[in-house]
Amino acid sequence: MSIDNGTSQLSFPLRGEIPSPETLIVRDIDVVGTGALRRHQLEELQKTKKFILHTHESMIPESVQSIYQAELIRTLQWLRPVKTVKKDIFDFLLEEQVLFSKIFPETTKALGFAVNKIRDHYLDEMEWSSWLLQDHWRYFVGFLRQMFPDKPELMETAHWEWVQAWIEIQPFDLGELEKNVVIVNPSLQIVSFSQNNAVLKRDKGMYAFVYSREKATVVERALDVYEAQFIDLLQEDRKYTPQQLTQTALLSDEITPQLSSEEWQKKFFSLCQDAILICET
């Protein structure tokens, strides 16, 4: 989006080419409190670009004002804009309509001619209770489930797209890792397909999504029953070293055919490579 003074506004989610001006406009409704991929993208841009931050404090719902103000302060510390400008007005409905098509492109196609009516019905029903525009769509998958209980492919497609959008912006904190203790990536989200999904060209099954800090991307991975077993074990209220985890999985009689110790280890290391499991050595 071009601005009259020669700057350009960044449009999120970031797709395609970055505007050429040295100084770019970002908005609080897109960046305050974000982490994961979006923060990484902004920090990479800081190497060659400067930011002007537009804030919309008067438009933020009262119920989240105190949280917003605290997150704004934290964001200013790492975003380091050259200037902050208060803006009083933006077209909320138009912004959300445009954002919907970016977050849910395949869902938009699947809904066909009904998409605008369904999208706007959701916007009419849901009260804005965040400061980030993207957060307003967090209940959309459940909304579709109520409207179309007999169309699992549609709901699962929307869930797939929402999970990726959600992970892109969340500020996941690993905290202080214990050495040689395996944990599940805190960003882990699971999407299950009850049938082959023709829209997304994915087979029936379970898919894991995580944000990988090392790869600076959202990783998608189909999980087999053995990989899912590792995750199930780590949901229990106990700690595992890599050796303990693979040995416990090896002793499990819940899955057949059983794998050898070496095969379990290969699956464990593969999950670590995709940042689904994390272990500080």
Side-chain angles (χ1 to χ4, degrees):
M1 180 184 296
S2 296
I3 308 296
D4 291 341
N5 61 8
T7 59
S8 291
Q9 178 180 296
L10 280 181
S11 178
F12 293 94
L14 289 182
R15 302 287 187 267
E17 292 187 9
I18 300 299
S20 58
E22 180 184 357
T23 301
L24 301 175
I25 293 172
V26 294
R27 305 180 302 176
D28 56 350
I29 53 179
D30 295 317
V31 304
V32 166
T34 57
L37 180 59
R38 185 163 300 181
R39 176 165 172 172
H40 171 80
Q41 291 170 329
L42 290 165
E43 289 176 331
E44 285 297 299
L45 284 174
Q46 282 177 324
K47 297 175 181 177
T48 56
K49 304 286 188 180
K50 297 176 182 178
F51 296 133
I52 294 173
L53 177 65
H54 284 184
T55 63
H56 303 78
E57 298 175 48
S58 64
M59 307 294 292
I60 306 301
E62 185 62 33
S63 60
V64 295
Q65 267 288 344
S66 60
I67 304 174
Y68 162 82
Q69 293 294 339
E71 291 294 344
L72 176 59
I73 291 171
R74 281 192 280 269
T75 301
L76 289 171
Q77 292 172 351
W78 63 263
L79 187 65
R80 301 190 302 276
V82 295
K83 183 166 59 173
T84 300
V85 180
K86 288 188 177 182
K87 295 286 183 176
D88 293 327
I89 297 174
F90 71 97
D91 190 330
F92 176 78
L93 289 180
L94 177 60
E95 293 279 358
E96 291 291 7
Q97 289 168 349
V98 171
L99 183 58
F100 176 86
S101 64
K102 293 180 179 180
I103 296 175
F104 299 105
E106 297 303 327
T107 305
T108 295
K109 294 176 187 176
L111 286 170
F113 293 114
V115 63
N116 289 349
K117 182 178 179 181
I118 293 168
R119 176 201 65 198
D120 292 347
H121 184 196
Y122 177 88
L123 291 172
D124 287 340
E125 290 287 319
M126 293 296 170
E127 180 181 356
W128 193 28
S129 58
S130 177
W131 60 86
L132 288 174
L133 289 178
Q134 190 162 307
D135 275 354
H136 195 57
W137 295 104
R138 63 186 179 274
Y139 303 117
F140 184 68
V141 175
F143 179 79
L144 275 185
R145 185 182 287 110
Q146 290 182 335
M147 292 193 68
F148 303 103
D150 58 340
K151 294 186 177 181
E153 184 179 65
L154 175 62
M155 184 272 294
E156 290 165 3
T157 298
H159 188 201
W160 174 281
E161 294 189 308
W162 169 247
V163 159
Q164 295 181 74
W166 183 83
I167 291 176
E168 280 192 6
I169 68 170
Q170 295 304 307
F172 302 109
D173 183 12
L174 288 176
E176 187 173 347
L177 299 177
E178 294 185 55
K179 287 192 177 298
N180 209 36
V181 173
V182 186
I183 66 167
V184 176
N185 189 319
S187 67
L188 175 69
Q189 294 290 304
I190 301 293
V191 178
S192 295
F193 287 162
S194 59
Q195 59 191 32
N196 292 342
N197 190 300
V199 175
L200 296 170
K201 298 180 175 58
R202 296 295 191 281
D203 294 334
K204 176 182 176 180
M206 182 182 297
Y207 294 82
F209 291 90
V210 295
Y211 176 68
S212 168
R213 291 195 300 179
E214 290 73 18
K215 298 178 182 179
T217 190
V218 176
V219 174
E220 166 204 333
R221 179 186 176 118
L223 295 176
D224 62 28
V225 292
Y226 304 100
E227 294 160 342
Q229 175 73 351
F230 278 134
I231 295 172
D232 287 344
L233 287 171
L234 290 169
Q235 303 297 334
E236 298 174 358
D237 188 22
R238 63 160 293 183
K239 297 178 181 179
Y240 290 93
T241 66
Q243 295 77 17
Q244 290 169 338
L245 183 63
T246 54
Q247 284 302 308
T248 302
L250 180 63
L251 295 173
S252 172
D253 58 2
E254 298 176 6
I255 306 174
T256 55
Q258 184 56 273
L259 301 180
S260 67
S261 177
E262 292 75 15
E263 290 170 324
W264 276 112
Q265 289 176 17
K266 286 181 181 178
K267 289 189 176 293
F268 170 76
F269 288 121
S270 180
L271 289 171
C272 289
Q273 287 176 344
D274 280 340
I276 298 196
L277 302 184
I278 298 172
C279 184
E280 184 77 16
T281 57

